[in-house]
Amino acid sequence: MTSTRRALPALLVASAAGLALTGCAAPAPEATGLSIVASTNVYGDIAAAIAGDLATVTSIIDSPAQDPHSYEASAQDQLAIAGADLVIENGGGYDPFIDLLVEGSGTSAVVVSASAVAGLEEDAHSEEEAHSEEEAHSEDEAHSEEDGHSHLEGANEHVWYDVHVMGDVAAAITAELAELDAANAATYEQNLAAWTSELEALEAELDAAAAELGGGTVAATEPVPAYLLAELGFSNETPEEFLEAIEEGADVPPLALQQTLDLIASGEVRLLAYNEQTASPETERVREAAEAAGIPVVSFVETLPDGEDYVSWMRANIEAVVGAVTPA
């Protein structure tokens, strides 16, 4: 996977220069080894586990207070991408600011897209595809891309909740690091093997939990944890129109809201999955209805909580679901 070098927009150059001259940003630490930039701390954590002390890892979004869908990149982010050897994004329209930074920074970094690894999209950062895209996109399409609110049609781009895909993403990161730093390829492979061993233990726990829980219907306020819930044997019956509206920050159609409330009242729902980072009056209404009906509510977030690594975080999510739906 390769990327092309592009011209740095004048506005971003000026912004970066302004930061340097005014001292708004702290001087970057002296670089040691490779530089890796990840869109969120989920991917930053996986990269750090594989790279160890052979690379510096920067996660642009590392707080639950930041929403990748609407995040506005800074000049400091631009500088980080410009100096990166490897960039890791979720892709699929989830973190479009990364694509804008890559295109605008002139970076020669390799880009790993988790959505591409998952097979949800083609690698948009190869040299030939990028050149083709630049010629093919109309001005309106470019404007839409800058708005950053497009998602993969008919697909759930929240692939980090699929633990099997994350194993493939870790392998892709390892392959790129080994190519960038061949002298330390064996170390990267050893670190991957250790991390994969932890992931395989988690996968075994996931299978055991699915067998124990016995499946059933769940509802959700957004499709973020859908892959994990499906692996646990559940079927998410929430109306697509409701999920899409919440994810896009749009008004929920009244019919979709009523259908969701009807689902909650049906007596068939075993669990409501609640995304704390996209709360709204509509999601709160659904949550209140679930609590009134005695349906357990399990909270999920989109970024790595403090004190957790990827494997421990997914394990905590699994344990939270098992604890919620298992009779005391």
Side-chain angles (χ1 to χ4, degrees):
M1 287 174 278
T2 58
S3 61
T4 56
R5 183 174 290 276
R6 301 174 179 84
L8 184 65
L11 178 60
L12 288 171
V13 171
S15 298
L19 280 176
L21 290 173
T22 60
C24 291
E30 185 176 345
T32 57
L34 297 175
S35 175
I36 302 172
V37 176
S39 63
T40 74
N41 59 0
V42 176
Y43 296 109
D45 175 76
I46 296 173
I50 296 166
D53 59 4
L54 295 174
T56 299
V57 179
T58 300
S59 298
I60 292 179
I61 292 180
D62 60 1
S63 166
Q66 297 170 303
D67 182 1
H69 293 286
S70 58
Y71 180 75
E72 295 184 7
S74 68
Q76 191 168 1
D77 298 332
Q78 185 89 33
L79 290 173
I81 291 286
D85 299 293
L86 176 65
V87 173
I88 308 167
E89 67 172 358
N90 185 82
Y94 178 74
D95 42 14
F97 64 91
I98 289 290
D99 294 326
L100 296 176
L101 290 172
V102 167
E103 291 172 4
S105 68
T107 184
S108 58
V110 175
V111 179
V112 172
S113 166
S115 291
V117 172
L120 298 184
E121 65 177 5
E122 294 183 354
D123 178 12
H125 297 281
S126 70
E127 209 163 310
E128 291 182 2
E129 287 170 345
H131 179 69
S132 174
E133 285 176 2
E134 288 173 2
E135 291 184 341
H137 282 340
S138 68
E139 188 173 334
D140 287 344
E141 288 173 330
H143 178 69
S144 175
E145 193 172 298
E146 287 174 4
D147 287 344
H149 297 292
S150 61
H151 298 274
L152 288 173
E153 189 69 29
N156 180 3
E157 72 273 17
H158 307 96
V159 294
W160 67 92
Y161 266 100
D162 187 328
V163 299
H164 309 301
V165 167
M166 289 303 97
D168 295 335
V169 170
I173 293 171
T174 303
E176 297 295 359
L177 290 176
E179 186 170 337
L180 289 166
D181 181 19
N184 290 302
T187 299
Y188 299 130
E189 291 289 349
Q190 290 169 2
N191 291 344
L192 173 65
W195 189 84
T196 300
S197 178
E198 294 183 21
L199 190 70
E200 288 173 347
L202 178 67
E203 289 172 330
E205 294 171 25
L206 185 58
D207 291 340
E212 175 187 342
L213 295 174
T217 297
V218 296
T221 59
E222 207 191 21
V224 169
Y227 288 115
L228 187 67
L229 293 172
E231 283 291 334
L232 286 169
F234 294 113
S235 175
N236 181 8
E237 300 297 333
T238 313
E240 288 295 330
E241 293 83 0
F242 179 89
L243 295 172
E244 183 176 350
I246 296 300
E247 185 175 17
E248 298 290 346
D251 292 334
V252 177
L255 178 59
L257 176 59
Q258 187 57 53
Q259 289 173 334
T260 303
L261 293 172
D262 290 344
L263 175 65
I264 295 295
S266 69
E268 298 177 359
V269 175
R270 298 189 66 189
L271 166 78
L272 173 66
Y274 193 89
N275 183 358
E276 297 285 353
Q277 286 172 263
T278 55
S280 71
E282 293 88 354
T283 65
E284 281 300 300
R285 187 173 172 186
V286 170
R287 179 175 190 153
E288 290 168 1
E291 291 172 342
I295 297 171
V297 178
V298 176
S299 295
F300 293 89
V301 293
E302 302 184 42
T303 50
L304 200 63
D306 291 340
E308 300 278 8
D309 58 36
Y310 176 76
V311 173
S312 71
W313 177 38
M314 287 298 115
R315 179 173 288 114
N317 284 321
I318 294 168
E319 291 174 349
V321 171
V322 172
V325 300
T326 301

